[in-house]
Amino acid sequence: MEFFHAVIQRPRVIAWFWLLLLVFVHNTERSISASNYLVGLGSYDITGPAADVNMMGYANSGQTASGIHFRLRARAFIVAEPQGNRVVFVNLDACMASQLVTIKVLERLKARYGNLYTEKNVAISGIHTHAGPGGYLQYVVYIVTSLGFVRQSFDALVDGIEQSIIRAHENLHPGSVYVNKGEILDAGVNRSPSAYLNNPAAERSKYKYDVDKEMTLLKFVDDQWGPVGSFNWFATHGTSMSRTNELISGDNKGTAARLMEDWFNQKSAARTFKENPRRVSNIVQDAQGNHHELLELAASFQSISGKPVTKYLSIARRVRSSLRNADRPSFVSAFCQSNCGDVSPNVLGAFCTDTGLPCDFNHSTCGGKNELCYGRGPGYPDEFESTRIIGERQFKKASDLFTSASEKLIGKVDFRHTYLDFSKLEVTLPKQGGGSETVKTCPAAMGFAFAAGTTDGPGAFDFKQGDNTGNPFWMLVRNVLTTPSKEQTDCQQPKPILLDTGEMKLPYDWAPSVLPVQMLKIGQMVILSVPGEFTTMAGRRLRDAVRAVFKEKVHVVIAGLTNTYSQYITTFEEYEMQRYEGASTLYGPHTLSAYIQEFKKLATAIVSGATVEAGPQPPDLLNKQISLLPGVVVDSTPLGVKFGDVGTDIPKNSTFKKGDMVTVMFWSSCPRNDLMTEGTFALVELLQGQDTWVPVYDDDDICLRFIWSRPSKLSARSHATIEWRIPQSTAPGVYRVSHFGASKNLFGTISHFTGSSTAFVVK
């Protein structure tokens, strides 16, 4: 009481107290805001042509797109200091980034934003799905199986990347970024363990596993809207879908992204509607009565014959477009690739298809043949199930890390970027006993084991992994294209050269020489943008080397397949084994040492505030591209049949239960006529009330498959088969299946159409 009495007697003390308190709060607010960023995320459809185009990844000429498992997207984040630097990271549901795509995206960004977004602070990375349309890279060796350059694939990527960045830019608001880490033990195994074991025993003893098990996640929180997205990096190949799959798919990482975004949106809807929704369950009216009443209701809706519609109807009917809350940013979640070079999602191991026994350990062969050795995913023999399981395992860990993230990124945003000619890069290496020596990288070349493929996708003929001698017959075949010089042969040792791509220039460059290396830094988070696939140990060495440069504690992640593509990067010891990854390390045995040297320079420049030279510019080969893929000539249907008519319908009065497969076939047209970007080819609709159909699933859902086919290769007729595996979360009610398409007549006119199946009941 005496204290309060004294204070009351001293009004000046009170005045000073409040003044000091205001100053303290003001300074605290300034200090907090100084550590905050502007944060924006965006996403856009990059699915591309769902017919006729060879898929990128397995180099299997017989694997051409024939429909959609689920759609592909570009997902972008921007983090900026309010009055300073900013960085952009774009994650693509594509096999890898492309130098030509990157060049054209940067040109568009410059035209729109000036020098705000450039090659220095924009990173474009691929998840390495092997189930996306190819033909978008500019170097010959990567577009041979796609019959050259495919303009539709290329445009879909450039447009989608640009739009994702525009959306992220428009969503920029004050916010925070959090980082979290955790292990996933069952989403990847080493597919080249014999090469990994050639690394020094002392080095291997530092690690518990022969692949990296750690996921690093960034959580983005908008000051106004709360969480708006997450990006994570985890190493496992996008090869859960096999080399015979023909449906466009984001594979396991695309699956994880779809699950994560739907999980967050359902959580948000549950908070809004006070129930447990399946996206649209808030509109379902008490299961719409009993089963008999539902059958009567369904019987009143027969199949709808094909009819013309506007181009935009499939966009308007798309499920997630109706979800989007116009006044708040959409939630964006990306599952990015890391040092996945020797990491397979086929976690059960590699087995011989003829005997069921494990493949040969050193060469991954069965009776001396690589064609019979295949890795098995956790859902074997169902590749769709394996894709779902590996995706779900990544999603579950990401959702846990997202929920528990508490370490806030604090500090400056910075970046460094340079181009380097990897065909002749000098590298300084320490010598045993002291001193140093200078070695060089080599012009690009691929070894014999490259043609053997991997356990995720075996090659053909008599090639095998672990081949460091070559084959006289295939050397003769190679020499028809080009004969490696003695200097090149010596430089690439012990790799026997199958394709001397770095010295092949007709009709234009077969492989890249100039590559980008880039480092992005957001507070204590460092992202290494590498233009290839680092193996597990190669990635560990690079991360350790960069981490040692920074005085502060930093989280270092490798963003693989970023900005362009140059195949693999192994350790020197793994290179000696010449398995697939070593044979695909283009620039010789010192490739990894070159990367470590140059990334240490970038890190040193960030620490010291120094600039780095821009380096030699990579070529823009767009005007030299050759395309041999024929266009769509015309679409047709049998006499009396319209586009969108149902060919094989659901029987009248049908009832399905959860877990059943519903199948409908429509007379259709080539999906290349209209890619239905941000729209859908396939739709499942639920009857609301007596006459209103509400979209509930579309071709961006994992449970719904759009399968396109034609009776023969040269036929102008085609079918669209829609398969719906009814999820356990599906609400009881009356449903129908609809198809959207676009046909082309002899005059080149494109006409859009739709059709719907007979209604049916789900109980």
Side-chain angles (χ1 to χ4, degrees):
M1 292 296 294
E2 291 178 356
F3 169 77
F4 289 108
H5 179 74
V7 169
I8 292 170
Q9 297 299 319
R10 288 184 254 181
R12 290 184 182 178
V13 173
I14 296 174
W16 277 108
F17 169 80
W18 286 111
L19 181 61
L20 289 171
L21 182 63
L22 285 171
V23 171
F24 173 79
V25 170
H26 177 67
N27 286 338
T28 302
E29 287 176 346
R30 287 186 62 187
S31 141
I32 293 172
S33 66
S35 67
N36 281 353
Y37 306 112
L38 299 177
V39 174
L41 288 87
S43 174
Y44 201 79
D45 189 348
I46 57 168
T47 303
D52 300 328
V53 175
N54 183 249
M55 289 181 164
M56 183 62 200
Y58 288 116
N60 174 16
S61 59
Q63 186 192 19
T64 56
S66 301
I68 298 174
H69 178 206
F70 59 92
R71 286 190 169 261
L72 311 181
R73 299 195 72 79
R75 296 173 170 93
F77 76 72
I78 301 174
V79 177
E81 296 171 348
Q83 302 297 327
N85 289 336
R86 62 183 59 202
V87 293
V88 183
F89 190 93
V90 185
N91 190 61
L92 306 178
D93 288 343
C95 194
M96 68 280 290
S98 154
Q99 185 65 72
L100 188 58
V101 168
T102 300
I103 288 171
K104 297 308 174 185
V105 168
L106 292 171
E107 287 179 358
R108 291 192 184 185
L109 294 176
K110 184 174 179 61
R112 182 180 292 271
Y113 298 112
N115 291 323
L116 194 61
Y117 302 114
T118 70
E119 63 195 15
K120 296 178 181 179
N121 65 345
V122 175
I124 302 172
S125 184
I127 63 170
H128 210 37
T129 175
H130 287 43
Y136 62 90
L137 288 91
Q138 69 173 353
Y139 298 105
V140 173
V141 75
Y142 305 127
I143 56 175
V144 170
T145 57
S146 62
L147 301 179
F149 187 69
V150 180
R151 187 78 199 207
Q152 273 190 319
S153 297
F154 174 80
D155 286 344
L157 281 166
V158 174
D159 292 345
I161 295 167
E162 181 192 22
Q163 288 300 319
S164 72
I165 295 173
I166 290 171
R167 290 183 175 189
H169 179 85
E170 292 175 347
N171 286 332
L172 277 171
H173 298 111
S176 302
V177 187
Y178 296 83
V179 63
N180 204 0
K181 294 182 177 183
E183 286 190 337
I184 311 176
L185 300 181
D186 52 1
V189 296
N190 198 304
R191 69 185 188 186
S192 289
S194 60
Y196 180 88
L197 288 172
N198 204 45
N199 291 307
E203 181 180 35
R204 287 186 281 111
S205 69
K206 297 191 306 184
Y207 303 98
K208 188 175 180 180
Y209 306 106
D210 60 1
V211 297
D212 285 340
K213 301 289 189 179
E214 189 172 71
M215 171 182 281
T216 301
L217 178 138
L218 294 182
K219 175 180 181 178
F220 300 91
V221 181
D222 186 298
D223 282 357
Q224 179 182 1
W225 298 110
V228 289
S230 69
F231 276 56
N232 69 72
W233 290 263
F234 176 76
T236 193
H237 247 77
T239 48
S240 293
M241 301 295 287
S242 74
R243 69 193 301 274
T244 59
N245 162 63
E246 294 187 344
L247 298 185
I248 289 175
S249 174
D251 207 276
N252 57 69
K253 286 189 176 290
T255 297
R258 171 53 51 239
L259 293 173
M260 184 86 167
E261 290 175 347
D262 283 352
W263 165 77
F264 183 85
N265 289 329
Q266 288 173 45
K267 280 207 318 174
S268 299
R271 288 192 295 268
T272 302
F273 298 107
K274 308 301 181 186
E275 58 182 72
N276 183 23
R278 159 57 184 123
R279 286 210 299 263
V280 293
S281 64
N282 57 292
I283 62 172
V284 179
Q285 300 174 347
D286 300 322
Q288 301 185 10
N290 62 43
H291 183 236
H292 178 72
E293 291 172 343
L294 292 177
L295 279 174
E296 286 188 345
L297 194 57
S300 62
F301 293 95
Q302 300 301 307
S303 64
I304 298 177
S305 182
K307 61 181 181 180
V309 294
T310 67
K311 172 182 174 67
Y312 302 102
L313 184 61
S314 87
I315 298 175
R317 298 297 287 169
R318 178 173 168 262
V319 171
R320 286 165 185 82
S321 65
S322 63
L323 272 180
R324 189 176 303 115
N325 198 340
D327 63 348
R328 67 158 293 149
S330 297
F331 185 83
V332 177
S333 183
F335 286 69
C336 311
Q337 196 52 270
S338 191
N339 53 317
C340 67
D342 52 0
V343 188
S344 170
N346 296 310
V347 295
L348 299 186
F351 296 87
C352 299
T353 56
D354 56 345
T355 66
L357 297 173
C359 305
D360 174 79
F361 182 77
N362 290 315
H363 302 289
S364 297
T365 54
C366 300
K369 296 184 177 181
N370 68 74
E371 299 98 317
L372 303 177
C373 178
Y374 277 90
R376 294 179 181 177
Y380 175 83
D382 186 342
E383 63 188 290
F384 292 95
E385 184 65 5
S386 292
T387 300
R388 183 195 65 78
I389 293 171
I390 297 296
E392 190 174 76
R393 288 172 181 175
Q394 292 176 75
F395 151 65
K396 285 182 176 178
K397 177 53 65 176
S399 61
D400 289 345
L401 295 176
F402 179 85
T403 302
S404 62
S406 60
E407 181 185 342
K408 190 175 182 180
L409 297 187
I410 300 173
K412 292 184 177 181
V413 173
D414 212 342
F415 49 84
R416 293 294 186 277
H417 174 286
T418 188
Y419 288 112
L420 300 162
D421 188 345
F422 266 76
S423 70
K424 53 183 180 181
L425 195 61
E426 291 190 349
V427 184
T428 302
L429 299 178
K431 294 176 69 173
Q432 286 187 347
S436 62
E437 63 175 332
T438 300
V439 296
K440 293 180 70 173
T441 54
C442 325
M446 295 190 289
F448 273 66
F450 159 79
T454 72
T455 56
D456 291 336
F461 304 109
D462 55 352
F463 296 102
K464 65 180 181 181
Q465 297 194 67
D467 182 356
N468 57 13
T469 58
N471 176 295
F473 171 76
W474 290 110
M475 286 183 178
L476 286 173
V477 174
R478 170 201 69 190
N479 292 343
V480 172
L481 294 172
T482 186
T483 303
S485 64
K486 183 179 184 306
E487 181 183 8
Q488 170 75 323
T489 302
D490 291 342
C491 185
Q492 292 278 354
Q493 283 291 338
K495 179 197 293 177
I497 297 173
L498 177 64
L499 288 173
D500 190 19
T501 52
E503 298 182 319
M504 297 166 70
K505 304 295 183 182
L506 294 176
Y508 46 87
D509 293 356
W510 279 57
S513 295
V514 175
L515 301 178
V517 292
Q518 180 188 52
M519 186 178 296
L520 309 179
K521 188 173 185 292
I522 308 167
Q524 63 270 35
M525 180 74 176
V526 177
I527 302 171
L528 311 182
S529 302
V530 301
E533 303 173 60
F534 276 61
T535 61
T536 299
M537 194 63 85
R540 288 167 175 171
R541 291 183 189 178
L542 178 61
R543 287 197 303 264
D544 287 348
V546 169
R547 195 179 291 116
V549 175
F550 289 96
K551 311 253 185 324
E552 61 191 297
K553 179 188 174 184
V554 291
H555 304 282
V556 182
V557 297
I558 289 174
L561 307 116
T562 301
N563 293 329
T564 189
Y565 184 62
S566 61
Q567 293 174 246
Y568 285 74
I569 300 94
T570 64
T571 66
F572 181 88
E573 295 83 1
E574 291 166 348
Y575 185 90
E576 289 181 313
M577 299 300 291
Q578 279 301 294
R579 284 183 63 91
Y580 175 84
E581 294 82 13
S584 304
T585 297
L586 296 184
Y587 307 103
H590 303 297
T591 302
L592 174 59
S593 296
Y595 275 104
I596 290 174
Q597 171 182 281
E598 298 305 321
F599 270 103
K600 286 173 69 175
K601 291 179 182 177
L602 296 186
T604 301
I606 286 180
V607 170
S608 66
T611 59
V612 295
E613 293 184 6
Q617 289 292 308
D620 177 346
L621 302 176
L622 181 59
N623 293 332
K624 295 187 176 182
Q625 296 302 309
I626 298 170
S627 180
L628 302 177
L629 179 69
V632 180
V633 178
V634 68
D635 296 291
S636 69
T637 58
L639 191 64
V641 175
K642 292 182 289 185
F643 292 107
D645 280 0
V646 177
T648 304
D649 202 359
I650 296 165
K652 189 176 179 181
N653 298 322
S654 290
T655 298
F656 297 91
K657 62 182 183 298
K658 296 167 185 179
D660 287 348
M661 177 76 84
V662 177
T663 304
V664 185
M665 186 272 282
F666 296 87
W667 286 97
S668 191
S669 57
C670 185
R672 287 197 284 155
N673 293 326
D674 188 324
L675 306 183
M676 300 294 175
T677 300
E678 288 292 321
T680 184
F681 288 103
L683 194 65
V684 172
E685 297 170 292
L686 169 65
L687 183 64
Q688 180 186 12
Q690 299 296 312
D691 56 5
T692 302
W693 292 98
V694 178
V696 288
Y697 297 96
D698 60 26
D699 66 13
D700 199 17
D701 278 292
I702 297 162
C703 64
L704 189 67
R705 300 176 195 169
F706 165 66
I707 304 167
W708 180 81
S709 62
R710 52 163 66 102
S712 63
K713 196 169 183 64
L714 298 179
S715 175
R717 298 177 182 177
S718 61
H719 300 141
T721 301
I722 298 172
E723 295 180 348
W724 180 39
R725 178 72 68 183
I726 304 175
Q728 294 300 318
S729 59
T730 303
V734 176
Y735 290 81
R736 71 179 183 185
V737 176
S738 297
H739 168 50
F740 296 92
S743 63
K744 184 177 184 179
N745 65 20
L746 282 169
F747 302 102
T749 303
I750 303 295
S751 302
H752 291 78
F753 61 85
T754 188
S756 299
S757 73
T758 293
F760 55 93
V761 172
V762 173
K763 65 178 183 178

